[in-house]
Every structure is written in structure tokens, then in C-alpha cells.
Amino acid sequence: MTGVRLTVGVEEEFLLLDAEKSQAAPAVDAVLAEVPDDLRGQVTREYLTSQIEINSPPGLDLRALRHSLGMLRSGIAGAAGRAGARVAAIGCCPVTGPEPPVVDEPRFHRMVERYGALSPGPGLNGLHVHIGVPDPDTGVQVLNHLRPWLPLLHAATTNSPFAEGRDSGYASWRSVMWARWPSVGPTPFLESHDHYEDLVSRLVASGAMLDEAMLYWYARLSARYPTVELRLGDVCPSLDDTILVAALARALVGTVLADIEAGRPAPRIDQPLLSAAHWRAAHDGLAGLLDDPADQRSRPAWHLFQRLFDTVRPELERNGDLELALPLMGRLRSRGTGASRQRAVYARTGDMGAVLDLVTIA
């Protein structure tokens, strides 16, 4: 795979809000009815009626991805406006209100019956990035190599500090709530693709998952596409943040593919240490300390995130993404994560409505 540009695609989940009130709205069917015809194949329901999802087509050009996501974000925002709602790019709803029902689909009803109230509130909204890989066996090796780096991307996407009208103490409260599902967590170290398949089968047999699609590891092989899927972060508040994460994710996969071809082994980090690193990422975001992928010692998060950028910089340049990623990295550094931005608005206004205004897509 050396020298080959990898495809990248993105899924983003959003919260639907009442147009007038600062609370979630069970409006997905009304919004979908207003989505322009040329976008409908890329806009779908999610688990709850107060959520909506967009899916970009996979491609090689990051600028084309940005254009596609921009059109989709604008399209669902316009559709929501026509349906008496609005769209918020936030990990979970920061205020209380009536709990919207689950989307009326058999699979979702089975999930409620089996797992109960594991996702209370109006929904947990994430970001999923798909990176193309040549085959499942290589994909499993990529998953092993990615493990120590993923807490840094997790920290960069934190965008849900508030819950029930107050600060949760976490940069990503969504991550805390999401971790209640039995199949959520860091990807284990995998011996082979057969090992991966065996674990999936045994998890389904145990009742922890209904099917392979409920494998909610922070990185997995996609059940639908020939990709590695990173699914560890909150939906980002701005398109700038999403594109930066997508660029870094593709460059990181390209970097570890070179390591695999060179015969460099993946580091075997103990699962409890990875769980602790992801907990810290959810708690602090990029505003505190994180565990160094090299030696698992705590260091300033921004120092480690910059090291990630420097590590994948040759791949960013080879992909033609460096010119775009450099200013996006600077903006994230100057503005902070979505969690930091939300807290700054609340500190200034004391108004949770102003927080929701901040993350509402125009």
C-alpha cells in the first residue's frame, strides 16, 4: 500500500432541536421529508427520533469531502428549518426535556427490549471516519497499530461537557454515557482476522450484541465497507474540526501501513491502560494531560497531539492534505475543542440556550 492514496469517508450524527425551545425535538421524519432529493440517499435516521445522520461518499480528495459534508450539513439545516426544527452539532443534549421515542424500526425495538435504557435522553451523536484498507487481514493489523494513538483523536473531538443543565465535569459526557453499552471500548489486540471474527461471533452469542453492526469498539472493520472505521468521538461542532480529524485519521492509517510493510510490530498495550487513556481523553479533552503513546506516561495533551500531527505529516503531505490541515490545526489550537468553546460561551452568558446556539448549524 506504500504510495497509494487511501479513500476516506465520514458519517456525522446530529441532534434535532425545537426551533423555538431549547430542547430536543422528535422531528426526524418531518426533517427527512424536507431534505432535497439529491441529498436523500446520504441522510438517514439514527436510533432516536431526535437524531439525524449524514454520510459522505468515500473519496480521495479531502476538499471534495469538505464540499460534500458542507452541502449535507447545509441541506439538513435548511430541511430542519422548513420542518420547524434546527440541527445541533453536539455530542449529547445539555438540557432536560421530554425523552423522544426510538425510531420505529424492528432492530431498534429489539435493542430497547434487550438492553433497556442504556441511552437515556435525546441521543448520543458521534463522528465515524472510514479509511480504505486493502483486505481484512491488513485491516486487523492496522487496528492493532492504531490502538495507542486513538485517545488523542478521542480528546480532539470532545464536544459534550454539559448534561441536565450543568457542567458534567467531562469534556465528553457522551463518551461516559456511550460506554454503558456492553460492546463499547478500546479495540483489543488481535492475533488475526480469524481472531477478530471469533470475538465478534462470541460477543453475539453472549447477548452483548445483536449482530456485527453492534460492535462498538473505538476502531473496527466496517460491517458494510472495505474500511477501517474509527468511531470514538463526539460529532464535531464545525466542519473545520471534522476535516482535520478525517485528514489525521487517513494519514495515521497510511503511516501505520508503512510500519506494517516494514515489519514493525504493533505495541502491545494492556487493555486497562487503554481504557484509562480513553477515560482521561473524555474527561480532559485537549485541555489537560493524556497518556503518551510511546511510554504511557502522562504529558500535556496538546504536546502529544502536536506529536501526532508531526508523526503523520509526511502522509499528510503525500496525500495533498498538509496545506489544508495546517491552518485547521492552528484553528483548533487557538479555539480549543468543542467542549472548551461551549464552556467559554456558558462562562460568558450563563445561558444554556447560548450554548445550543453556538452548535446550531446555520
Side-chain angles (χ1 to χ4, degrees):
M1 292 294 292
T2 301
V4 176
R5 293 177 74 194
L6 306 174
T7 60
V8 57
V10 168
E11 302 170 21
E12 293 186 298
E13 300 162 353
F14 301 100
L15 178 68
L16 295 175
L17 298 170
D18 187 280
E20 303 297 332
K21 304 173 186 176
S22 294
Q23 66 183 44
V28 66
D29 287 336
V31 174
L32 285 173
E34 296 291 340
V35 170
D37 289 342
D38 59 333
L39 299 181
R40 287 194 177 184
Q42 296 168 257
V43 183
T44 62
R45 296 170 179 83
E46 235 297 316
Y47 184 60
L48 294 175
T49 54
S50 53
Q51 296 176 280
I52 196 165
E53 180 180 311
I54 62 174
N55 302 275
S56 77
L60 299 173
D61 190 331
L62 208 64
R63 288 167 178 80
L65 174 66
R66 184 186 187 116
H67 176 75
S68 175
L69 289 173
M71 292 289 290
L72 286 164
R73 281 186 171 218
S74 176
I76 62 171
R82 292 187 291 276
R86 53 187 174 133
V87 179
I90 193 169
C92 65
C93 190
V95 296
T96 57
E99 189 165 322
V102 171
V103 167
D104 188 16
E105 292 184 8
R107 186 169 184 275
F108 293 149
H109 290 305
R110 287 177 63 206
M111 289 170 70
V112 171
E113 182 181 355
R114 172 77 62 84
Y115 305 105
L118 288 186
S119 291
L124 306 175
N125 309 300
L127 167 69
H128 306 163
V129 182
H130 289 260
I131 310 298
V133 290
D135 56 74
D137 292 303
T138 303
V140 164
Q141 294 184 69
V142 168
L143 295 178
N144 285 341
H145 281 261
L146 289 177
R147 294 169 80 238
W149 292 106
L150 293 185
L152 292 173
L153 293 179
H154 191 167
T157 60
T158 49
N159 185 36
S160 52
F162 298 107
E164 298 182 352
R166 61 181 183 272
D167 197 313
S168 68
Y170 284 77
S172 174
W173 186 244
R174 169 196 165 275
S175 296
V176 177
M177 301 304 290
W178 183 234
R180 292 156 37 132
W181 288 84
S183 56
V184 172
T187 310
F189 195 93
L190 301 159
E191 302 300 334
S192 64
H193 183 239
D194 286 343
H195 183 206
Y196 180 97
E197 297 265 279
D198 181 60
L199 285 175
V200 171
S201 296
R202 290 166 69 182
L203 285 168
V204 172
S206 75
M209 307 188 318
L210 293 179
D211 49 38
E212 185 178 357
M214 281 190 69
L215 186 69
Y216 297 144
W217 293 343
Y218 296 142
R220 69 179 188 183
L221 302 181
S222 172
R224 295 183 294 169
Y225 308 113
T227 64
V228 165
E229 181 184 3
L230 278 58
R231 43 180 304 117
L232 53 104
D234 294 349
V235 67
C236 292
S238 75
L239 197 50
D240 282 352
D241 302 316
T242 299
I243 295 301
L244 176 61
V245 172
L248 292 175
R250 173 163 69 168
L252 184 56
V253 171
T255 299
V256 303
L257 278 169
D259 289 339
I260 292 165
E261 290 188 9
R264 288 186 280 271
R268 283 182 173 262
I269 298 173
D270 290 336
Q271 196 78 353
L273 295 179
L274 275 181
S275 295
H278 280 284
W279 174 85
R280 191 168 219 173
H283 190 273
D284 293 353
L286 290 176
L289 300 175
L290 284 177
D291 292 337
D292 192 325
D295 59 15
Q296 299 305 292
R297 294 182 180 275
S298 295
R299 290 186 170 86
W302 266 111
H303 171 82
L304 297 176
F305 196 66
Q306 182 64 55
R307 187 197 296 171
L308 167 63
F309 190 96
D310 294 340
T311 298
V312 304
R313 186 182 183 115
E315 275 294 303
L316 289 170
E317 192 162 16
R318 190 180 66 80
N319 289 329
D321 296 340
L322 184 60
E323 184 179 351
L324 181 59
L326 272 172
L328 297 183
M329 182 73 168
R331 287 174 206 167
L332 182 62
R333 181 64 189 266
S334 64
R335 297 185 300 184
T337 63
S340 295
R341 287 173 233 171
Q342 288 185 48
R343 282 172 167 152
V345 166
Y346 190 74
R348 188 174 68 250
T349 66
D351 180 8
M352 205 60 71
V355 171
L356 289 172
D357 288 344
L358 172 72
V359 297
T360 294
I361 299 174

